[in-house]
Amino acid sequence: MNFEQLGHIIRERRNELSYSQEVLSDKSDVAIKTIHSIELGKANPSLKTLDKVLGVLGLELIVVSKKD
Amino acid sequence: MNFEQLGHIIRERRNELSYSQEVLSDKSDVAIKTIHSIELGKANPSLKTLDKVLGVLGLELIVVSKKD
DNA sequence: TTTTAATAAGTATTATATTGCCGAATCATT
DNA sequence: AATGATTCGGCAATATAATACTTATTAAAA
């Protein structure tokens, strides 16, 4: 789970819901600037920020054993 | 996945490996203060910090659909 | 009890995430 | 082409995560 992958997942889900970044920003109470940085993989968000964004998208983080 | 649950998962896995917080700190290159704050659910870590800690423990974050 | 290892927590400093404001770039629609 | 909506990105200010240092607490072992 690197930052680029995470950004793609968020962007794809956002597009599925037909939300603009601005709408997602409003719903999640996270700045649009932060959202597009996350989507581009250029951010290192805190868990709280990431949870707010994922929550609006019906997604969540879980911890699993790493398979290598 | 709230902060308390995350802390418990990390602590349990750390104990399974018989790592002290100090050893986990050294291996992950994350300050011991940060680690015990995370374990107590009193931290809001960045993804990068959390990934470093989880990586040493053989764990990783993934995004899944929220079941409600 | 005394000693030692481990964990918890306060304070201060540094690093960086988050934000707002702004303009530029991209893309679709007319 | 022109208009409008959306996304990208720079810059500065603010909020806060991460760290080092120190002391206290807890727990276990001698």
Side-chain angles (χ1 to χ4, degrees):
Chain A
M1 171 60 61
N2 60 39
F3 290 175
E4 289 79 11
Q5 294 174 328
L6 176 65
H8 286 132
I9 290 172
I10 290 174
R11 171 157 297 187
E12 285 180 6
R13 181 72 182 132
R14 177 174 65 79
N15 286 329
E16 283 177 8
L17 297 174
S18 297
Y19 290 167
S20 64
Q21 290 180 346
E22 188 179 12
V23 169
L24 179 55
S25 171
D26 291 341
K27 290 181 178 291
S28 62
D29 201 36
V30 171
I32 187 173
K33 181 76 181 288
T34 302
I35 288 177
H36 89 251
S37 293
I38 292 174
E39 288 192 355
L40 296 178
K42 295 180 178 178
N44 177 27
S46 70
L47 263 194
K48 204 174 294 181
T49 295
L50 189 53
D51 274 344
K52 288 195 288 187
V53 173
L54 292 177
V56 171
L57 299 175
L59 303 174
E60 66 179 345
L61 286 173
I62 64 172
V63 177
V64 298
S65 293
K66 195 188 301 182
K67 54 190 65 173
D68 45 357
Chain B
M1 171 60 61
N2 60 39
F3 289 175
E4 289 78 12
Q5 294 173 328
L6 176 64
H8 285 132
I9 290 172
I10 290 175
R11 170 156 297 187
E12 285 180 6
R13 182 70 183 130
R14 176 174 65 79
N15 286 328
E16 284 176 9
L17 298 175
S18 298
Y19 290 167
S20 64
Q21 290 181 344
E22 189 180 12
V23 167
L24 179 54
S25 171
D26 291 340
K27 289 181 178 293
S28 62
D29 202 35
V30 172
I32 187 172
K33 180 76 180 285
T34 302
I35 287 176
H36 90 252
S37 293
I38 292 174
E39 288 192 355
L40 296 177
K42 295 179 178 176
N44 177 27
S46 70
L47 262 195
K48 203 174 296 182
T49 295
L50 189 53
D51 274 346
K52 287 194 289 186
V53 173
L54 293 177
V56 170
L57 299 175
L59 303 173
E60 65 179 345
L61 286 172
I62 64 173
V63 177
V64 297
S65 293
K66 196 188 301 182
K67 53 190 64 172
D68 45 356

PDB file of all heavy atoms in Angstrom, chain A residues 4-33:
ATOM      1  N   GLU A   4       0.924   6.135  -4.036  1.00  0.00           N
ATOM      2  CA  GLU A   4       0.310   6.219  -5.363  1.00  0.00           C
ATOM      3  C   GLU A   4      -0.927   5.310  -5.427  1.00  0.00           C
ATOM      4  O   GLU A   4      -1.986   5.718  -5.922  1.00  0.00           O
ATOM      5  CB  GLU A   4       1.313   5.810  -6.444  1.00  0.00           C
ATOM      6  CG  GLU A   4       2.441   6.820  -6.666  1.00  0.00           C
ATOM      7  CD  GLU A   4       3.520   6.707  -5.598  1.00  0.00           C
ATOM      8  OE1 GLU A   4       3.491   5.721  -4.819  1.00  0.00           O
ATOM      9  OE2 GLU A   4       4.386   7.600  -5.515  1.00  0.00           O
ATOM     10  N   GLN A   5      -0.783   4.105  -4.944  1.00  0.00           N
ATOM     11  CA  GLN A   5      -1.916   3.179  -4.943  1.00  0.00           C
ATOM     12  C   GLN A   5      -3.073   3.734  -4.141  1.00  0.00           C
ATOM     13  O   GLN A   5      -4.234   3.684  -4.573  1.00  0.00           O
ATOM     14  CB  GLN A   5      -1.478   1.828  -4.350  1.00  0.00           C
ATOM     15  CG  GLN A   5      -0.458   1.083  -5.188  1.00  0.00           C
ATOM     16  CD  GLN A   5       0.052  -0.168  -4.480  1.00  0.00           C
ATOM     17  OE1 GLN A   5       0.135  -0.197  -3.249  1.00  0.00           O
ATOM     18  NE2 GLN A   5       0.398  -1.184  -5.250  1.00  0.00           N
ATOM     19  N   LEU A   6      -2.745   4.257  -2.972  1.00  0.00           N
ATOM     20  CA  LEU A   6      -3.793   4.830  -2.127  1.00  0.00           C
ATOM     21  C   LEU A   6      -4.518   5.960  -2.842  1.00  0.00           C
ATOM     22  O   LEU A   6      -5.753   6.044  -2.816  1.00  0.00           O
ATOM     23  CB  LEU A   6      -3.164   5.357  -0.827  1.00  0.00           C
ATOM     24  CG  LEU A   6      -4.108   6.070   0.121  1.00  0.00           C
ATOM     25  CD1 LEU A   6      -5.158   5.106   0.655  1.00  0.00           C
ATOM     26  CD2 LEU A   6      -3.331   6.697   1.276  1.00  0.00           C
ATOM     27  N   GLY A   7      -3.745   6.808  -3.510  1.00  0.00           N
ATOM     28  CA  GLY A   7      -4.349   7.906  -4.248  1.00  0.00           C
ATOM     29  C   GLY A   7      -5.276   7.418  -5.343  1.00  0.00           C
ATOM     30  O   GLY A   7      -6.366   7.960  -5.542  1.00  0.00           O
ATOM     31  N   HIS A   8      -4.855   6.375  -6.044  1.00  0.00           N
ATOM     32  CA  HIS A   8      -5.693   5.838  -7.113  1.00  0.00           C
ATOM     33  C   HIS A   8      -6.992   5.272  -6.576  1.00  0.00           C
ATOM     34  O   HIS A   8      -8.053   5.450  -7.161  1.00  0.00           O
ATOM     35  CB  HIS A   8      -4.921   4.763  -7.890  1.00  0.00           C
ATOM     36  CG  HIS A   8      -3.867   5.304  -8.791  1.00  0.00           C
ATOM     37  ND1 HIS A   8      -2.583   4.799  -8.824  1.00  0.00           N
ATOM     38  CD2 HIS A   8      -3.878   6.322  -9.691  1.00  0.00           C
ATOM     39  CE1 HIS A   8      -1.863   5.471  -9.719  1.00  0.00           C
ATOM     40  NE2 HIS A   8      -2.621   6.409 -10.251  1.00  0.00           N
ATOM     41  N   ILE A   9      -6.884   4.566  -5.462  1.00  0.00           N
ATOM     42  CA  ILE A   9      -8.087   3.984  -4.867  1.00  0.00           C
ATOM     43  C   ILE A   9      -9.084   5.072  -4.497  1.00  0.00           C
ATOM     44  O   ILE A   9     -10.285   4.971  -4.777  1.00  0.00           O
ATOM     45  CB  ILE A   9      -7.710   3.156  -3.619  1.00  0.00           C
ATOM     46  CG1 ILE A   9      -6.952   1.891  -4.034  1.00  0.00           C
ATOM     47  CG2 ILE A   9      -8.951   2.809  -2.809  1.00  0.00           C
ATOM     48  CD1 ILE A   9      -6.373   1.112  -2.868  1.00  0.00           C
ATOM     49  N   ILE A  10      -8.578   6.132  -3.902  1.00  0.00           N
ATOM     50  CA  ILE A  10      -9.449   7.225  -3.485  1.00  0.00           C
ATOM     51  C   ILE A  10     -10.068   7.912  -4.704  1.00  0.00           C
ATOM     52  O   ILE A  10     -11.269   8.184  -4.741  1.00  0.00           O
ATOM     53  CB  ILE A  10      -8.664   8.235  -2.625  1.00  0.00           C
ATOM     54  CG1 ILE A  10      -8.335   7.590  -1.265  1.00  0.00           C
ATOM     55  CG2 ILE A  10      -9.435   9.537  -2.457  1.00  0.00           C
ATOM     56  CD1 ILE A  10      -7.447   8.431  -0.383  1.00  0.00           C
ATOM     57  N   ARG A  11      -9.235   8.173  -5.696  1.00  0.00           N
ATOM     58  CA  ARG A  11      -9.749   8.849  -6.888  1.00  0.00           C
ATOM     59  C   ARG A  11     -10.806   8.012  -7.605  1.00  0.00           C
ATOM     60  O   ARG A  11     -11.856   8.517  -8.018  1.00  0.00           O
ATOM     61  CB  ARG A  11      -8.602   9.190  -7.838  1.00  0.00           C
ATOM     62  CG  ARG A  11      -9.072   9.700  -9.199  1.00  0.00           C
ATOM     63  CD  ARG A  11      -8.030  10.521  -9.886  1.00  0.00           C
ATOM     64  NE  ARG A  11      -7.714  11.731  -9.115  1.00  0.00           N
ATOM     65  CZ  ARG A  11      -6.923  12.704  -9.575  1.00  0.00           C
ATOM     66  NH1 ARG A  11      -6.371  12.604 -10.759  1.00  0.00           N
ATOM     67  NH2 ARG A  11      -6.699  13.770  -8.846  1.00  0.00           N
ATOM     68  N   GLU A  12     -10.524   6.726  -7.748  1.00  0.00           N
ATOM     69  CA  GLU A  12     -11.485   5.860  -8.430  1.00  0.00           C
ATOM     70  C   GLU A  12     -12.822   5.809  -7.693  1.00  0.00           C
ATOM     71  O   GLU A  12     -13.886   5.913  -8.297  1.00  0.00           O
ATOM     72  CB  GLU A  12     -10.909   4.444  -8.571  1.00  0.00           C
ATOM     73  CG  GLU A  12      -9.842   4.335  -9.642  1.00  0.00           C
ATOM     74  CD  GLU A  12      -9.284   2.911  -9.742  1.00  0.00           C
ATOM     75  OE1 GLU A  12      -9.825   2.018  -9.058  1.00  0.00           O
ATOM     76  OE2 GLU A  12      -8.315   2.708 -10.500  1.00  0.00           O
ATOM     77  N   ARG A  13     -12.735   5.670  -6.390  1.00  0.00           N
ATOM     78  CA  ARG A  13     -13.966   5.593  -5.600  1.00  0.00           C
ATOM     79  C   ARG A  13     -14.718   6.922  -5.653  1.00  0.00           C
ATOM     80  O   ARG A  13     -15.953   6.961  -5.743  1.00  0.00           O
ATOM     81  CB  ARG A  13     -13.633   5.216  -4.152  1.00  0.00           C
ATOM     82  CG  ARG A  13     -14.842   5.093  -3.257  1.00  0.00           C
ATOM     83  CD  ARG A  13     -15.643   3.862  -3.585  1.00  0.00           C
ATOM     84  NE  ARG A  13     -16.851   3.773  -2.749  1.00  0.00           N
ATOM     85  CZ  ARG A  13     -18.051   3.529  -3.235  1.00  0.00           C
ATOM     86  NH1 ARG A  13     -18.223   3.302  -4.526  1.00  0.00           N
ATOM     87  NH2 ARG A  13     -19.092   3.473  -2.431  1.00  0.00           N
ATOM     88  N   ARG A  14     -13.969   8.011  -5.604  1.00  0.00           N
ATOM     89  CA  ARG A  14     -14.595   9.331  -5.694  1.00  0.00           C
ATOM     90  C   ARG A  14     -15.311   9.489  -7.030  1.00  0.00           C
ATOM     91  O   ARG A  14     -16.447  10.004  -7.085  1.00  0.00           O
ATOM     92  CB  ARG A  14     -13.532  10.430  -5.527  1.00  0.00           C
ATOM     93  CG  ARG A  14     -14.072  11.845  -5.682  1.00  0.00           C
ATOM     94  CD  ARG A  14     -13.038  12.898  -5.379  1.00  0.00           C
ATOM     95  NE  ARG A  14     -11.917  12.906  -6.302  1.00  0.00           N
ATOM     96  CZ  ARG A  14     -11.947  13.444  -7.517  1.00  0.00           C
ATOM     97  NH1 ARG A  14     -13.053  14.023  -7.964  1.00  0.00           N
ATOM     98  NH2 ARG A  14     -10.866  13.409  -8.287  1.00  0.00           N
ATOM     99  N   ASN A  15     -14.685   9.034  -8.096  1.00  0.00           N
ATOM    100  CA  ASN A  15     -15.314   9.133  -9.409  1.00  0.00           C
ATOM    101  C   ASN A  15     -16.533   8.221  -9.529  1.00  0.00           C
ATOM    102  O   ASN A  15     -17.518   8.591 -10.180  1.00  0.00           O
ATOM    103  CB  ASN A  15     -14.292   8.805 -10.504  1.00  0.00           C
ATOM    104  CG  ASN A  15     -13.302   9.943 -10.706  1.00  0.00           C
ATOM    105  OD1 ASN A  15     -13.644  11.118 -10.515  1.00  0.00           O
ATOM    106  ND2 ASN A  15     -12.075   9.599 -11.070  1.00  0.00           N
ATOM    107  N   GLU A  16     -16.466   7.052  -8.902  1.00  0.00           N
ATOM    108  CA  GLU A  16     -17.627   6.168  -8.897  1.00  0.00           C
ATOM    109  C   GLU A  16     -18.838   6.884  -8.300  1.00  0.00           C
ATOM    110  O   GLU A  16     -19.974   6.702  -8.740  1.00  0.00           O
ATOM    111  CB  GLU A  16     -17.335   4.909  -8.085  1.00  0.00           C
ATOM    112  CG  GLU A  16     -16.466   3.883  -8.793  1.00  0.00           C
ATOM    113  CD  GLU A  16     -16.153   2.698  -7.892  1.00  0.00           C
ATOM    114  OE1 GLU A  16     -16.750   2.622  -6.789  1.00  0.00           O
ATOM    115  OE2 GLU A  16     -15.315   1.871  -8.265  1.00  0.00           O
ATOM    116  N   LEU A  17     -18.575   7.671  -7.284  1.00  0.00           N
ATOM    117  CA  LEU A  17     -19.652   8.387  -6.598  1.00  0.00           C
ATOM    118  C   LEU A  17     -19.967   9.718  -7.276  1.00  0.00           C
ATOM    119  O   LEU A  17     -20.863  10.437  -6.825  1.00  0.00           O
ATOM    120  CB  LEU A  17     -19.267   8.635  -5.136  1.00  0.00           C
ATOM    121  CG  LEU A  17     -19.056   7.371  -4.282  1.00  0.00           C
ATOM    122  CD1 LEU A  17     -18.530   7.739  -2.904  1.00  0.00           C
ATOM    123  CD2 LEU A  17     -20.359   6.580  -4.164  1.00  0.00           C
ATOM    124  N   SER A  18     -19.218  10.030  -8.341  1.00  0.00           N
ATOM    125  CA  SER A  18     -19.397  11.304  -9.052  1.00  0.00           C
ATOM    126  C   SER A  18     -19.239  12.502  -8.133  1.00  0.00           C
ATOM    127  O   SER A  18     -19.984  13.483  -8.236  1.00  0.00           O
ATOM    128  CB  SER A  18     -20.769  11.350  -9.743  1.00  0.00           C
ATOM    129  OG  SER A  18     -20.873  10.347 -10.725  1.00  0.00           O
ATOM    130  N   TYR A  19     -18.272  12.397  -7.250  1.00  0.00           N
ATOM    131  CA  TYR A  19     -17.951  13.544  -6.402  1.00  0.00           C
ATOM    132  C   TYR A  19     -16.784  14.298  -7.020  1.00  0.00           C
ATOM    133  O   TYR A  19     -15.810  13.691  -7.445  1.00  0.00           O
ATOM    134  CB  TYR A  19     -17.522  13.093  -5.007  1.00  0.00           C
ATOM    135  CG  TYR A  19     -18.604  12.516  -4.143  1.00  0.00           C
ATOM    136  CD1 TYR A  19     -18.272  11.836  -2.975  1.00  0.00           C
ATOM    137  CD2 TYR A  19     -19.955  12.655  -4.459  1.00  0.00           C
ATOM    138  CE1 TYR A  19     -19.253  11.300  -2.157  1.00  0.00           C
ATOM    139  CE2 TYR A  19     -20.936  12.124  -3.651  1.00  0.00           C
ATOM    140  CZ  TYR A  19     -20.582  11.445  -2.497  1.00  0.00           C
ATOM    141  OH  TYR A  19     -21.556  10.916  -1.693  1.00  0.00           O
ATOM    142  N   SER A  20     -16.875  15.611  -7.063  1.00  0.00           N
ATOM    143  CA  SER A  20     -15.698  16.409  -7.397  1.00  0.00           C
ATOM    144  C   SER A  20     -14.813  16.450  -6.143  1.00  0.00           C
ATOM    145  O   SER A  20     -15.250  16.113  -5.043  1.00  0.00           O
ATOM    146  CB  SER A  20     -16.095  17.818  -7.798  1.00  0.00           C
ATOM    147  OG  SER A  20     -16.693  18.489  -6.704  1.00  0.00           O
ATOM    148  N   GLN A  21     -13.578  16.858  -6.320  1.00  0.00           N
ATOM    149  CA  GLN A  21     -12.696  17.010  -5.157  1.00  0.00           C
ATOM    150  C   GLN A  21     -13.303  18.009  -4.180  1.00  0.00           C
ATOM    151  O   GLN A  21     -13.164  17.855  -2.958  1.00  0.00           O
ATOM    152  CB  GLN A  21     -11.305  17.471  -5.599  1.00  0.00           C
ATOM    153  CG  GLN A  21     -10.513  16.398  -6.349  1.00  0.00           C
ATOM    154  CD  GLN A  21      -9.143  16.878  -6.789  1.00  0.00           C
ATOM    155  OE1 GLN A  21      -8.860  18.081  -6.774  1.00  0.00           O
ATOM    156  NE2 GLN A  21      -8.284  15.950  -7.189  1.00  0.00           N
ATOM    157  N   GLU A  22     -13.974  19.010  -4.713  1.00  0.00           N
ATOM    158  CA  GLU A  22     -14.569  20.019  -3.849  1.00  0.00           C
ATOM    159  C   GLU A  22     -15.690  19.424  -2.996  1.00  0.00           C
ATOM    160  O   GLU A  22     -15.806  19.717  -1.814  1.00  0.00           O
ATOM    161  CB  GLU A  22     -15.098  21.176  -4.683  1.00  0.00           C
ATOM    162  CG  GLU A  22     -15.556  22.365  -3.844  1.00  0.00           C
ATOM    163  CD  GLU A  22     -16.053  23.523  -4.706  1.00  0.00           C
ATOM    164  OE1 GLU A  22     -16.258  23.295  -5.926  1.00  0.00           O
ATOM    165  OE2 GLU A  22     -16.233  24.615  -4.164  1.00  0.00           O
ATOM    166  N   VAL A  23     -16.513  18.586  -3.604  1.00  0.00           N
ATOM    167  CA  VAL A  23     -17.593  17.944  -2.849  1.00  0.00           C
ATOM    168  C   VAL A  23     -17.015  17.030  -1.772  1.00  0.00           C
ATOM    169  O   VAL A  23     -17.455  17.040  -0.620  1.00  0.00           O
ATOM    170  CB  VAL A  23     -18.504  17.138  -3.796  1.00  0.00           C
ATOM    171  CG1 VAL A  23     -19.458  16.249  -3.004  1.00  0.00           C
ATOM    172  CG2 VAL A  23     -19.303  18.094  -4.692  1.00  0.00           C
ATOM    173  N   LEU A  24     -16.020  16.255  -2.162  1.00  0.00           N
ATOM    174  CA  LEU A  24     -15.381  15.371  -1.177  1.00  0.00           C
ATOM    175  C   LEU A  24     -14.770  16.193  -0.053  1.00  0.00           C
ATOM    176  O   LEU A  24     -14.832  15.800   1.122  1.00  0.00           O
ATOM    177  CB  LEU A  24     -14.320  14.514  -1.862  1.00  0.00           C
ATOM    178  CG  LEU A  24     -13.544  13.554  -0.970  1.00  0.00           C
ATOM    179  CD1 LEU A  24     -14.464  12.636  -0.183  1.00  0.00           C
ATOM    180  CD2 LEU A  24     -12.544  12.733  -1.794  1.00  0.00           C
ATOM    181  N   SER A  25     -14.194  17.327  -0.423  1.00  0.00           N
ATOM    182  CA  SER A  25     -13.624  18.221   0.585  1.00  0.00           C
ATOM    183  C   SER A  25     -14.684  18.685   1.568  1.00  0.00           C
ATOM    184  O   SER A  25     -14.482  18.654   2.784  1.00  0.00           O
ATOM    185  CB  SER A  25     -12.975  19.420  -0.109  1.00  0.00           C
ATOM    186  OG  SER A  25     -12.596  20.395   0.831  1.00  0.00           O
ATOM    187  N   ASP A  26     -15.821  19.108   1.028  1.00  0.00           N
ATOM    188  CA  ASP A  26     -16.901  19.594   1.896  1.00  0.00           C
ATOM    189  C   ASP A  26     -17.431  18.487   2.805  1.00  0.00           C
ATOM    190  O   ASP A  26     -17.615  18.683   4.006  1.00  0.00           O
ATOM    191  CB  ASP A  26     -18.040  20.166   1.044  1.00  0.00           C
ATOM    192  CG  ASP A  26     -17.641  21.456   0.345  1.00  0.00           C
ATOM    193  OD1 ASP A  26     -16.664  22.095   0.783  1.00  0.00           O
ATOM    194  OD2 ASP A  26     -18.295  21.823  -0.654  1.00  0.00           O
ATOM    195  N   LYS A  27     -17.661  17.326   2.223  1.00  0.00           N
ATOM    196  CA  LYS A  27     -18.249  16.230   2.990  1.00  0.00           C
ATOM    197  C   LYS A  27     -17.298  15.700   4.071  1.00  0.00           C
ATOM    198  O   LYS A  27     -17.731  15.262   5.138  1.00  0.00           O
ATOM    199  CB  LYS A  27     -18.650  15.074   2.059  1.00  0.00           C
ATOM    200  CG  LYS A  27     -19.844  15.376   1.164  1.00  0.00           C
ATOM    201  CD  LYS A  27     -20.174  14.160   0.286  1.00  0.00           C
ATOM    202  CE  LYS A  27     -21.403  14.415  -0.587  1.00  0.00           C
ATOM    203  NZ  LYS A  27     -22.653  14.506   0.177  1.00  0.00           N
ATOM    204  N   SER A  28     -16.003  15.720   3.770  1.00  0.00           N
ATOM    205  CA  SER A  28     -15.032  15.130   4.692  1.00  0.00           C
ATOM    206  C   SER A  28     -14.425  16.156   5.638  1.00  0.00           C
ATOM    207  O   SER A  28     -13.747  15.785   6.601  1.00  0.00           O
ATOM    208  CB  SER A  28     -13.908  14.458   3.907  1.00  0.00           C
ATOM    209  OG  SER A  28     -13.206  15.413   3.119  1.00  0.00           O
ATOM    210  N   ASP A  29     -14.669  17.437   5.338  1.00  0.00           N
ATOM    211  CA  ASP A  29     -14.054  18.494   6.136  1.00  0.00           C
ATOM    212  C   ASP A  29     -12.530  18.431   6.081  1.00  0.00           C
ATOM    213  O   ASP A  29     -11.843  18.641   7.081  1.00  0.00           O
ATOM    214  CB  ASP A  29     -14.544  18.425   7.589  1.00  0.00           C
ATOM    215  CG  ASP A  29     -14.357  19.745   8.304  1.00  0.00           C
ATOM    216  OD1 ASP A  29     -14.515  20.798   7.665  1.00  0.00           O
ATOM    217  OD2 ASP A  29     -14.026  19.721   9.513  1.00  0.00           O
ATOM    218  N   VAL A  30     -12.036  18.124   4.896  1.00  0.00           N
ATOM    219  CA  VAL A  30     -10.594  18.135   4.629  1.00  0.00           C
ATOM    220  C   VAL A  30     -10.373  19.073   3.451  1.00  0.00           C
ATOM    221  O   VAL A  30     -11.136  19.041   2.482  1.00  0.00           O
ATOM    222  CB  VAL A  30     -10.080  16.727   4.285  1.00  0.00           C
ATOM    223  CG1 VAL A  30      -8.640  16.771   3.792  1.00  0.00           C
ATOM    224  CG2 VAL A  30     -10.227  15.801   5.485  1.00  0.00           C
ATOM    225  N   ALA A  31      -9.356  19.907   3.522  1.00  0.00           N
ATOM    226  CA  ALA A  31      -9.122  20.905   2.477  1.00  0.00           C
ATOM    227  C   ALA A  31      -8.927  20.249   1.122  1.00  0.00           C
ATOM    228  O   ALA A  31      -8.307  19.194   1.000  1.00  0.00           O
ATOM    229  CB  ALA A  31      -7.895  21.741   2.826  1.00  0.00           C
ATOM    230  N   ILE A  32      -9.457  20.901   0.094  1.00  0.00           N
ATOM    231  CA  ILE A  32      -9.347  20.354  -1.259  1.00  0.00           C
ATOM    232  C   ILE A  32      -7.890  20.197  -1.658  1.00  0.00           C
ATOM    233  O   ILE A  32      -7.529  19.247  -2.356  1.00  0.00           O
ATOM    234  CB  ILE A  32     -10.114  21.243  -2.263  1.00  0.00           C
ATOM    235  CG1 ILE A  32     -10.158  20.615  -3.649  1.00  0.00           C
ATOM    236  CG2 ILE A  32      -9.535  22.634  -2.292  1.00  0.00           C
ATOM    237  CD1 ILE A  32     -11.038  21.360  -4.627  1.00  0.00           C
ATOM    238  N   LYS A  33      -7.077  21.106  -1.193  1.00  0.00           N
ATOM    239  CA  LYS A  33      -5.642  21.008  -1.489  1.00  0.00           C
ATOM    240  C   LYS A  33      -5.061  19.716  -0.936  1.00  0.00           C
ATOM    241  O   LYS A  33      -4.253  19.041  -1.590  1.00  0.00           O
ATOM    242  CB  LYS A  33      -4.915  22.212  -0.873  1.00  0.00           C
ATOM    243  CG  LYS A  33      -3.428  22.262  -1.118  1.00  0.00           C
ATOM    244  CD  LYS A  33      -3.139  22.708  -2.515  1.00  0.00           C
ATOM    245  CE  LYS A  33      -1.655  22.753  -2.831  1.00  0.00           C
ATOM    246  NZ  LYS A  33      -0.966  23.852  -2.157  1.00  0.00           N
TER     247      LYS A  33
END
